[in-house]
Amino acid sequence: MKRLTVLYDADCPLCVHLRHWLLRQRQLVPLDLVPAGSEEARRRFPALDHATTLREITAVGDRGQVYRATAAWIVCLWALAEHRPKAHWLATPAGQPFARMTVLAAAKWREALKGPGEGSGGTPGPDGCGDGRCEAPGPPG
């Protein structure tokens, strides 16, 4: 693989934070970080289910390989110089439970951001969330 595109929810504070973290890392495989569901994402990957990419991290390799959820996190780490050995371990039977727990914890945190009115028909709740997406909080204070 020579390039990896990571589709992330640009309206999720956790996803945006992780995007910035990925960009600060030394990359062995260049990462293109594209907002999920965006016009750019739809243009690049017309056959992809873009609603799903807003619910879970999705990475697409330069030969069309699609990685979702836990596999996407592992391949993102694999693309980074400092984290490739950890990615190899997370892909093993011994490491898979840790990778899965990390993805589940991130999903739970993300759900907490959505707040109580989200989830029934995609109607935005009082926090501005709707259709599985959350608004980034404003600056403190």
Side-chain angles (χ1 to χ4, degrees):
M1 184 180 325
K2 295 182 188 216
R3 189 161 213 89
L4 184 66
T5 301
V6 181
L7 302 174
Y8 70 97
D9 184 349
D11 292 325
C12 165
L14 175 61
C15 304
V16 171
H17 172 78
L18 291 171
R19 173 195 181 271
H20 291 301
W21 180 81
L22 285 168
L23 289 173
R24 289 191 309 268
Q25 306 304 306
R26 189 165 62 89
Q27 300 171 6
L28 297 173
V29 175
L31 299 175
D32 294 328
L33 290 115
V34 175
S38 68
E39 211 173 289
E40 176 69 10
R42 292 175 193 283
R43 183 188 64 74
R44 287 186 184 202
F45 311 108
L48 208 55
D49 176 359
H50 291 278
T52 299
T53 67
L54 286 167
R55 289 190 301 274
E56 62 187 16
I57 183 174
T58 303
V60 184
D62 55 359
R63 293 187 179 154
Q65 317 91 307
V66 177
Y67 306 91
R68 296 187 189 280
T70 305
W73 286 113
I74 292 171
V75 78
C76 285
L77 291 174
W78 175 84
L80 306 175
E82 300 294 319
H83 300 283
R84 185 168 275 187
K86 179 64 78 183
H88 283 290
W89 181 77
L90 289 170
T92 68
Q96 281 277 328
F98 293 98
R100 178 98 175 111
M101 284 189 302
T102 301
V103 170
L104 290 174
K108 190 159 185 84
W109 192 85
R110 215 172 153 220
E111 275 299 312
L113 287 175
K114 291 179 186 178
E118 168 52 25
S120 54
T123 305
D127 60 353
C129 293
D131 297 325
R133 299 175 69 171
C134 298
E135 287 185 17

